[in-house]
Amino acid sequence: MKKLIHTLLAGSLLTTCLATTSAVNAMTVSPQNWWAGMQNSSLQIMLHETEIAKQQWYLESYPGVELKSITKTDNANYAFINLEISPNAKPGKLLFKNRAGDQFEYPLLTRDKQSAERQGFDSGDTIYLINPDRFANGDSSNDTVQGMAEAASPSERGGRHGGDIQGIINALPYLDELGVTQLWLTPPLENNMASYSYHGYAITDFYNIDPRMGSNELYHELSAKAKQHGIGLVMDLVLNHFGSEHEWMKDKPTTDWINFNGDFADGKHATSHARQTIQDPHASEFDKRQFSDGWFVSTMPDLNQRQPLLATYLIQNAIWWIEYADLSGIRVDTYSYSDKAFLADWTKAIMVEYPNFNIVGEEWTSNPAIASYWQAGKINNDGYTSSLPSVMDFSLQESLIQALNEDESWNTGWVKVYESLANDFLYPNPDNLLVFADNHDMSRVYTELKQDLAKTKMAMTMLLTTRGIAQMYYGTEVLLDNTGSNDHGDIRIDFPGGFAGQKTNAFTGQGLNSDQVDMQQTITTLLNFRKNSPAIAKGKLTHFSPKQGVYSYARISEQQTVLVFLNKNTTAKTWSLDYMREVLGNHKSATALFNKQKVKLTKPLTLPAMSALVLVIE
């Protein structure tokens, strides 16, 4: 007789062990639990065990829950239980049995009362982007974990350095004081890869936090403690690909689970990165497939989201993490590389479940005609309808760096920023775009601006006061720099003060030079101003064509007007405000944000050389 053992392991992986006198087989269940009272009444549970499909499972009677069917595939090691859960079903434990006498319990949990109405991040937020492995080591005992393929190697640029979730929890008071309102962590999920596993984008378990980062419980604790500081948690999800050491590579749920039959073919099946093929009316089907089905690299196999069982798996996985970790948003890696029909279904399912939620998709293009295709509300020529609320504004990022590095002329300098923002007519909701100066995949803004403090301050002032949702990369506030190397391991540099033996500590200020202190104070002022500024959060943007090396604009709400002047000149400018009368109205004075001095608006201003002036009119 088989003897049943069922338990919840650390990390919340529900595993049912069916023990015999000769062997023990583990059945994995995904997702490991669900919640009563979800908007979507359907649930599909994946079972994985040797020849599980040969077992006949049934559900013991449970009010409001019906086992509709069991889907089997061409792999007998998988079975998919399809349930219908009525709105009246109460939390409890479902009991599944098979005809051999085996059984397992499945938790149906209680939802938080306000879960469905949760508020996602918005244009009043500042999202602080962290590579967890490179931010702070709060628990050195998990730097190397037995059973994980890659051990800690802090001296290697591409190795694991030991940062973890506990380090981020310890840093929450610092982030609160800095003015951060949201945290975006590059994926902390298990990446059990032989090398370069620190970045998080080669996922080998979609339901468990990497043990070198912590645990599911610790991730939940981060979310709860961050909320106590007024900080939300944004999860970085990967829909397009996964890690080649995932069990799916050895035991595919279906033969069509992975694109190109799970074969990279020495690069023949690599993605073309030709994102324009999605909209190109002349594109060949070959080119379309090469973009969407192609792999990034051999260690990141490309998922086939046209497979309906996989599509459901990915939808439920996102919803599970939103509920479990109380997320305030999702960032989707390599958004446009996934099947676009699936993306429409995926975003719609989440937004129906959480109408006030926010999701930002990465579409790495400086062409807003391509990026705007994905934002919800866009009327596209091909009839495609998206439910994605936000996209990343790579156009503005690229334009800002160019503007600050170029000499001023009729078609160079600040005009690049002006023209990028003028293209906002292409977006249904430009206020819901994510704006940023850099991120984990590109050189740091201080590096790109040739280690120029004044230009870096102008860049960050502009991004933190213009329209959109602001995102800042960790360490920008203390001028982290990768000059001399474009290696991702150097871009994702260790945060000063997060690791033992560092002489500089950004958390305490110890060892920071005068430029770093200046930048940290500037960022702190800007971020805390954003927290309480109605003009920045919801105000209309009115900008003026650049002239004489100065770009100026206003953010206007009923309660407040904010004026911004960005002077690239190496000398001070005496600046008449006559051209701004349409935004000044009858206001006679304002307060300078950085020094709190009163400024008269009835006479010309003095714009200091190479500086940003921010004036607040209440």
Side-chain angles (χ1 to χ4, degrees):
M1 291 287 292
K2 291 182 179 179
K3 182 172 62 178
L4 172 71
I5 306 172
H6 57 81
T7 182
L8 280 171
L9 299 178
S12 301
L13 174 64
L14 179 64
T15 302
T16 303
C17 298
L18 305 175
T20 68
T21 56
S22 59
V24 176
N25 298 317
M27 181 173 72
T28 59
V29 181
S30 305
Q32 46 261 43
N33 66 268
W34 206 244
W35 291 265
M38 301 296 286
Q39 179 72 21
N40 186 350
S41 60
S42 298
L43 174 65
Q44 186 173 86
I45 304 172
M46 174 195 281
L47 306 182
H48 182 209
E49 184 194 19
T50 303
E51 296 193 336
I52 187 72
K54 295 182 179 180
Q55 301 176 19
Q56 300 297 315
W57 292 96
Y58 63 94
L59 172 65
E60 190 171 86
S61 179
Y62 192 99
V65 180
E66 180 184 0
L67 196 163
K68 300 291 290 184
S69 63
I70 296 179
T71 301
K72 300 178 181 181
T73 73
D74 45 33
N75 185 344
N77 295 337
Y78 290 87
F80 296 80
I81 295 176
N82 302 302
L83 298 181
E84 190 72 18
I85 305 174
S86 79
N88 299 321
K90 303 298 183 185
K93 290 184 178 180
L94 309 181
L95 182 61
F96 293 92
K97 297 180 179 180
N98 66 18
R99 301 194 186 285
D102 306 317
Q103 63 183 35
F104 71 92
E105 291 180 342
Y106 190 83
L108 194 61
L109 304 180
T110 302
R111 269 185 111 181
D112 289 343
K113 290 182 179 179
Q114 301 303 316
S115 180
E117 289 76 34
R118 73 183 61 232
Q119 183 64 49
F121 61 83
D122 61 26
S123 56
D125 280 309
T126 302
I127 302 175
Y128 193 80
L129 166 58
I130 293 175
N131 289 106
D133 181 68
R134 304 300 171 87
F135 185 66
N137 190 347
D139 181 4
S140 59
S141 69
N142 66 9
D143 291 358
T144 297
V145 174
Q146 187 175 4
M148 303 303 289
E150 187 175 16
S153 183
S155 62
E156 291 186 26
R157 59 171 48 151
R160 299 192 72 94
H161 291 193
D164 49 33
I165 293 171
Q166 186 60 55
I168 300 171
I169 291 174
N170 296 346
L172 286 172
Y174 166 79
L175 296 171
D176 187 359
E177 184 177 351
L178 189 65
V180 171
T181 60
Q182 300 282 340
L183 290 179
W184 158 18
L185 279 56
T186 55
L189 297 176
E190 182 193 279
N191 273 234
N192 197 9
M193 304 291 289
S195 61
Y196 293 99
S197 64
Y198 78 93
H199 59 67
Y201 291 96
I203 295 167
T204 55
D205 189 330
F206 283 87
Y207 276 102
N208 279 289
I209 297 296
D210 194 295
R212 293 160 295 187
M213 293 285 175
S215 65
N216 284 19
E217 290 80 8
L218 194 64
Y219 186 70
H220 184 277
E221 181 181 332
L222 167 63
S223 179
K225 289 187 173 179
K227 184 173 285 189
Q228 293 172 8
H229 288 272
I231 299 173
L233 185 60
V234 178
M235 194 172 206
D236 197 339
L237 290 183
V238 187
L239 306 176
N240 178 66
H241 52 265
F242 65 109
S244 57
E245 294 303 312
H246 195 292
E247 63 181 12
W248 289 341
M249 285 298 283
K250 305 176 185 69
D251 194 18
K252 291 185 290 186
T254 65
T255 54
D256 60 350
W257 201 259
I258 304 169
N259 282 323
F260 288 115
N261 297 316
D263 182 13
F264 186 59
D266 293 327
K268 291 181 182 179
H269 294 154
T271 179
S272 65
H273 299 290
R275 53 187 36 80
Q276 66 273 12
T277 58
I278 297 295
Q279 299 182 64
D280 180 1
H282 315 296
S284 66
E285 293 303 317
F286 174 85
D287 286 342
K288 291 178 183 178
R289 186 185 181 206
Q290 200 68 35
F291 167 65
S292 63
D293 290 11
W295 299 23
F296 270 68
V297 291
S298 61
T299 54
M300 292 183 179
D302 204 75
L303 289 166
N304 175 21
Q305 302 87 11
R306 294 181 296 273
Q307 214 305 324
L309 296 171
L310 172 60
T312 298
Y313 180 97
L314 293 172
I315 290 170
Q316 291 182 167
N317 178 254
I319 292 172
W320 189 90
W321 279 111
I322 295 169
E323 285 288 325
Y324 174 79
D326 194 19
L327 301 178
S328 62
I330 289 172
R331 181 262 184 183
V332 185
D333 182 63
T334 57
Y335 187 81
S336 65
Y337 290 77
S338 296
D339 178 74
K340 70 177 187 179
F342 159 77
L343 289 172
D345 292 340
W346 184 87
T347 50
K348 183 178 180 181
I350 294 172
M351 297 309 297
V352 166
E353 201 70 60
Y354 311 98
N356 303 317
F357 199 62
N358 209 345
I359 308 169
V360 59
E362 179 196 29
E363 173 60 304
W364 194 325
T365 176
S366 59
N367 184 347
I370 292 176
S372 63
Y373 178 84
W374 300 105
Q375 193 176 36
K378 182 67 182 290
I379 299 174
N380 292 305
N381 285 340
D382 63 359
Y384 182 74
T385 301
S386 175
S387 296
L388 179 71
S390 176
V391 293
M392 298 172 68
D393 193 348
F394 282 91
S395 170
L396 185 59
Q397 185 276 333
E398 181 179 295
S399 298
L400 180 60
I401 299 301
Q402 290 175 347
L404 286 164
N405 281 332
E406 293 176 346
D407 291 334
E408 289 293 309
S409 74
W410 69 273
N411 65 347
T412 58
W414 283 126
V415 70
K416 296 285 184 68
V417 169
Y418 182 85
E419 289 176 345
S420 177
L421 289 166
N423 282 326
D424 277 0
F425 70 88
L426 291 165
Y427 293 98
N429 186 3
D431 291 332
N432 205 28
L433 300 179
L434 188 76
V435 299
F436 57 100
D438 57 8
N439 64 25
H440 59 296
D441 287 327
M442 57 178 63
S443 283
R444 289 179 171 271
V445 60
Y446 184 58
T447 304
E448 286 292 296
L449 296 176
K450 301 176 176 58
Q451 300 172 307
D452 189 311
L453 173 64
K455 287 183 178 180
T456 306
K457 289 169 67 175
M458 275 193 280
M460 296 310 298
T461 299
M462 190 269 169
L463 285 168
L464 294 171
T465 56
T466 192
R467 62 94 175 106
I469 305 154
Q471 172 249 296
M472 187 178 78
Y473 195 26
Y474 78 97
T476 297
E477 71 272 25
V478 288
L479 302 173
L480 289 193
D481 185 18
N482 61 282
T483 298
S485 171
N486 287 323
D487 188 279
H488 281 184
D490 292 323
I491 292 169
R492 303 160 185 170
I493 190 173
D494 290 350
F495 187 81
F499 299 85
Q502 293 175 307
K503 295 181 180 179
T504 305
N505 190 326
F507 298 123
T508 64
Q510 177 184 351
L512 296 180
N513 62 40
S514 59
D515 282 357
Q516 289 176 307
V517 171
D518 187 353
M519 191 69 193
Q520 193 175 49
Q521 291 174 344
T522 298
I523 293 294
T524 301
T525 299
L526 285 164
L527 265 56
N528 280 281
F529 173 64
R530 282 182 62 86
K531 278 186 176 183
N532 302 300
S533 170
I536 300 300
K538 302 295 181 185
K540 178 181 183 293
L541 170 66
T542 298
H543 67 165
F544 297 87
S545 182
K547 57 181 179 178
Q548 300 176 44
V550 176
Y551 176 50
S552 57
Y553 55 92
R555 299 297 307 281
I556 308 163
S557 69
E558 290 184 3
Q559 304 94 337
Q560 183 187 65
T561 296
V562 176
L563 307 177
V564 182
F565 303 87
L566 303 170
N567 179 18
K568 258 178 64 180
N569 295 284
T570 55
T571 58
K573 300 286 288 186
T574 299
W575 203 250
S576 171
L577 298 180
D578 289 346
Y579 71 101
M580 298 188 81
R581 290 302 164 193
E582 66 186 86
V583 299
L584 294 179
N586 296 320
H587 296 290
K588 306 295 184 184
S589 65
T591 302
L593 176 64
F594 294 116
N595 61 18
K596 307 305 179 186
Q597 292 183 353
K598 290 291 184 181
V599 176
K600 291 184 178 181
L601 302 176
T602 54
K603 62 180 184 178
L605 302 176
T606 298
L607 305 182
M610 294 295 293
S611 69
L613 176 64
V614 180
L615 301 179
V616 183
I617 304 171
E618 300 293 350

